[in-house]
Amino acid sequence: MSSLIDPLVAFVSAHAWLAYLTIFLAALLEAVPVLGSLVPGSTIILALSALIPGGNLQLAAVLAAAVSGAMLGDGTAFWTGHRSKREILNSWPMSRYPGVIAQSETFFNRWGTLAVFFARFVPPIRAFVPITAGALAMPPSRFYAVNIPAILLWAPAHVLPGVLAVTALHQYGGLPHHTHVGKLIWIPTVIVIAAIVGAATWWRRRRRGINLPVKTASERTG
């Protein structure tokens, strides 16, 4: 595993801007309806956060990339729905997933404004609630008043676990600090757990015959 991760770490160290761009895109694409249910954005952010304690990436820059990507993604989805109204919910590709649309509307109608806040932490609803909120004529000021605080909590919730885990492995796990081997443990662990959960989710949905987009690596880690 070390032979696979070490080249990645070396590449990131030499091209940190690409890692920040990847985090930005991962957060952005998770907010895109349908596509957000397929992109393992949360897993990518969780895994790359392991590179912060060793200095390969900077905490502030990672948080900024995640926050800005999520805000742009959610905002774009909201305004798309706001301008198209309910027609967007009945158009392709949204029309292919009536179950998720119905679930998103039910979620929104049940929780009202708070649905925008809670949805940021509930995949795959996260990829559908912003556009649903816009389609159902939620005022933009109310949307952003809830969406921005949610993102400001969501980003640290995805970044800090990797930072704390790797730091704890070195400080309390007896691993040498200069080797930074903690990231070689955290990154594969996140990927393996996400893959197992994604496979289990796919199997459960197939067994129940639910026609939903399949969230792969990041459904339950998000």
Side-chain angles (χ1 to χ4, degrees):
M1 185 62 70
S2 173
S3 63
L4 297 176
I5 302 298
D6 281 339
L8 169 63
V9 174
F11 182 82
V12 169
S13 298
H15 307 86
W17 68 272
L18 280 175
Y20 298 133
L21 177 61
T22 298
I23 292 170
F24 172 83
L25 292 175
L28 187 155
L29 293 177
E30 272 211 326
V32 176
V34 181
L35 182 61
S37 299
L38 305 173
V39 174
S42 296
T43 301
I44 292 172
I45 296 171
L46 275 168
L48 290 179
S49 66
L51 304 181
I52 296 174
N56 305 107
L57 297 177
Q58 299 301 312
L59 175 59
V62 170
L63 288 172
V67 167
S68 57
M71 285 186 178
L72 180 60
D74 282 1
T76 300
F78 172 79
W79 283 108
T80 299
H82 194 268
R83 291 171 181 173
S84 302
K85 306 303 180 186
R86 293 193 64 94
E87 292 180 8
I88 191 67
L89 302 181
N90 299 318
S91 302
W92 186 92
M94 305 281 282
S95 59
R96 292 187 58 192
Y97 305 101
V100 182
I101 299 302
Q103 189 179 4
S104 299
E105 288 198 52
T106 300
F107 191 80
F108 186 81
N109 291 329
R110 178 179 180 183
W111 295 101
T113 302
L114 288 178
V116 175
F117 183 91
F118 293 141
R120 190 95 281 282
F121 303 89
V122 184
I125 299 299
R126 175 168 58 221
F128 289 87
V129 165
I131 196 171
T132 301
L136 297 182
M138 183 178 191
S141 58
R142 189 180 302 171
F143 172 80
Y144 283 110
V146 179
N147 179 248
I148 291 176
I151 290 174
L152 293 177
L153 289 176
W154 169 85
H158 282 67
V159 173
L160 294 182
V163 176
L164 296 176
V166 173
T167 301
L169 283 171
H170 287 285
Q171 188 167 351
Y172 304 108
L175 300 178
H177 284 267
H178 68 279
T179 61
H180 301 295
V181 72
K183 58 196 171 191
L184 301 181
I185 298 175
W186 176 257
I187 293 176
T189 298
V190 169
I191 295 174
V192 169
I193 292 177
I196 292 174
V197 173
T201 302
W202 173 84
W203 178 81
R204 184 181 63 184
R205 287 176 176 174
R206 184 177 181 182
R207 183 180 181 186
R208 294 182 179 180
I210 300 176
N211 183 26
L212 297 176
V214 177
K215 184 83 167 182
T216 55
S218 66
E219 172 149 352
R220 296 299 180 183
T221 57

